Amino acid sequence: LRRDRDIVFEAVRQSGWALAFAWPELRRDRDIVLEAVRRNGQALWYASQDLRQDPDIVLEAVRKDARALQWASPELRRDEVLQPHIVRWNCLAGPGAPAPAVTVASLTPTPDRTQIQACLTWLNGEETALTLAWDDTVGDLAARAAQQRRVGLVFLLMLGGNVVQPSAVFSRLDAFV
């Protein structure tokens, strides 16, 4: 049973700790480990060394339990984006996260270039307009969109359809104008 991918995946969906009993090869399976750390951040300890170096996996583990950062690779433990106080603020959804998607339809600077008007379109067709400071980041936009929608995370699709990854939380919005 420990070698059966479907059984192990279902087990970690029930409890991230189930990763401890998975066959070593399945501890290298990105989807299984991602699901495990979303259930229990401390499950990162049982992930393969390669996956402990994966910023998306470490981010999800730290979102669930800040103490999980201790199990990440030394390089990632120093990554500013993965620090618990930043992760708590980062509302950008990672791959496979259960979150609504919103498209940035436009980013328009004000004439004095002190603010950016963002027009967002949700998948249900609802539109939202937000005003952000000129030096705000993609993370600020995602946080405002999540707050407006009353959710913890959002998938943010920028102009052109590119999904913004959580690691881009500090990217300035004015770069997209």
Side-chain angles (χ1 to χ4, degrees):
L1 296 177
R2 295 174 21 166
R3 294 182 188 202
D4 185 301
R5 185 183 189 283
D6 293 334
I7 290 174
V8 171
F9 189 80
E10 188 55 39
V12 298
R13 285 183 65 197
Q14 300 299 315
S15 170
W17 285 120
L19 188 62
F21 304 102
W23 197 250
E25 184 174 313
L26 293 177
R27 292 182 193 187
R28 290 187 289 273
D29 184 304
R30 191 173 195 281
D31 294 333
I32 288 175
V33 172
L34 196 53
E35 189 65 31
V37 299
R38 281 190 175 134
R39 301 289 178 223
N40 184 324
Q42 292 291 321
L44 184 62
W45 190 83
Y46 297 105
S48 69
Q49 289 299 320
D50 286 349
L51 293 180
R52 289 185 193 193
Q53 296 175 27
D54 183 317
D56 293 331
I57 296 214
V58 173
L59 175 78
E60 294 300 330
V62 174
R63 274 186 171 149
K64 193 65 178 173
D65 186 336
R67 298 170 300 168
L69 189 58
Q70 69 185 317
W71 309 122
S73 69
E75 309 83 57
L76 291 183
R77 285 196 299 262
R78 292 186 296 275
D79 188 330
E80 183 179 18
V81 171
L82 298 174
Q83 299 310 304
H85 69 282
I86 299 296
V87 169
R88 278 191 300 275
W89 170 81
N90 189 343
C91 295
L92 290 164
V102 62
T103 300
V104 178
S106 68
L107 291 172
T108 308
T110 57
D112 61 0
R113 290 199 164 309
T114 59
Q115 296 180 318
I116 298 174
Q117 301 291 323
C119 293
L120 310 177
T121 305
W122 298 91
L123 286 181
N124 67 0
E126 181 182 328
E127 294 181 354
T128 301
L130 298 172
T131 301
L132 297 116
W134 183 257
D135 60 352
D136 275 350
T137 65
V138 172
D140 294 317
L141 176 58
R144 294 273 307 278
Q147 180 183 27
Q148 191 268 343
R149 201 62 162 189
R150 293 185 172 92
V151 295
L153 301 172
V154 295
F155 283 104
L156 193 60
L157 288 79
M158 293 305 283
L159 306 166
N162 295 327
V163 177
V164 179
Q165 297 302 316
S167 59
V169 69
F170 294 126
S171 298
R172 286 179 49 133
L173 277 178
D174 61 4
F176 296 95
V177 174

